[in-house]
């Protein structure tokens, strides 16, 4: 595990974009595992800027997203499909047919998850998986549990997650209670995993996840076992681990 300490959110976003750009430059037809939430917005903004400057080409890139709310279609502004279109896809030369997310409109969970696993099998492991982290240590929507769920599955969202995500909806009641998420085995099979974290409110979970025991009660802790895991976090997010972290 490598930790890159940054000054703030902007610095984090630029450094994350550097790393993603490097992967895309070395492998133009790479598979990128992408994430939603406020953490990656700045990273996507930086990638768009580089595309506009002529430094990045998305024409051969395939993307697979971590998760999607069950019950929301891509036209719903709260859906992750919509988020990805707004924050990245519609601004770069990516082929929309090569951008994948679980199908939130499929009500049959088994069908939705099986279909997404089939897509993931076809694309193969991601060359880089981008992740944020929830306050309870969730990655994608893999919530604290008794075991690590391997493949795509339907989850009941934790109260804490519903609370945290309510800020994107007009009321808490509108937040879906279930989501489809990529499983831990799929996330762990990515060649490189990049987590971006910003803000003091994430400091405690960062300490627990990466300086505590590996446990499905803190899903992100499994990343301690990933052979190429990079954490890019700002000073506020690293404030609980003091001098333990190493810069690069
Ligand atoms: C959501 C997403 C996660 C994301 C998390 C943290 O629950 N499913 O993939 O990491 O929120 O979001 P934020 O970056 O907004 O703190």
């Amino acid at each position: 595990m490598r930790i890159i300490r940054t000054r703030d959110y902007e610095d984090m976003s630029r450094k994350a974009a550097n790393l993603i750009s490097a992967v895309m430059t070395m492998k133009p037809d790479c598979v990128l595992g992408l994430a939603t939430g406020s953490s990656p917005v700045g990273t996507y903004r930086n990638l768009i800027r580089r595309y506009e400057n002529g430094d990045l080409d998305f024409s051969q890139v395939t993307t697979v997203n971590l998760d999607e709310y069950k019950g929301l279609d891509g036209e719903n502004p709260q859906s992750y499909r919509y988020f990805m279109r707004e924050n990245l896809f519609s601004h770069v030369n990516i082929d929309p047919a090569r951008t994948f997310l679980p199908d939130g409109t499929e009500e049959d969970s088994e069908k939705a998850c099986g279909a997404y696993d089939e897509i993931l099998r076809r694309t193969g492991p991601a060359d880089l998986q981008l992740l944020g982290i929830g306050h309870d240590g969730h990655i994608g929507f893999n919530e604290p549990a008794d075991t690590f769920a391997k493949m795509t599955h339907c989850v009941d969202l934790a109260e804490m997650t519903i609370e945290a995500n309510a800020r994107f909806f007009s009321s808490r009641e509108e937040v879906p209670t279930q989501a489809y998420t990529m499983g831990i085995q799929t996330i762990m099979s990515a060649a490189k995993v990049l987590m971006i974290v910003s803000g003091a409110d994430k400091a405690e979970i960062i300490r627990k996840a990466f300086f505590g025991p590996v446990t499905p009660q803190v899903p992100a802790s499994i990343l301690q076992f990933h052979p190429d895991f990079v954490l890019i976090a700002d000073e506020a997010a690293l404030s609980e681990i003091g001098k333990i972290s190493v810069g690069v």
Side-chain angles (χ1 to χ4, degrees), residues 31-32 78 81 111 163 177 182 207 229:
V31 177
L32 296 179
Q78 312 303 342
R81 164 66 75 185
K111 239 180 163 175
E163 290 289 341
T177 54
M182 201 185 262
R207 180 177 51 74
F229 170 50

Side-chain angles (χ1 to χ4, degrees), residues 68-74 101-116 119 152-155 178-181:
E68 178 60 282
Y69 286 116
K70 181 175 176 179
L72 300 194
D73 66 47
L101 289 91
D103 179 3
T105 64
E106 177 55 71
E107 298 213 335
D108 181 335
S109 301
E110 221 168 285
K111 239 180 163 175
C113 297
Y116 201 51
I119 289 170
T152 305
H153 56 288
C154 179
V155 283
Q178 290 190 309
Y180 298 132
T181 183

Side-chain angles (χ1 to χ4, degrees), residues 189-207:
S189 70
K192 182 185 268 304
V193 177
L194 166 60
M195 178 179 277
I196 47 178
V197 193
S198 166
D201 57 311
K202 297 280 176 74
E204 192 188 340
I205 194 61
I206 289 303
R207 180 177 51 74

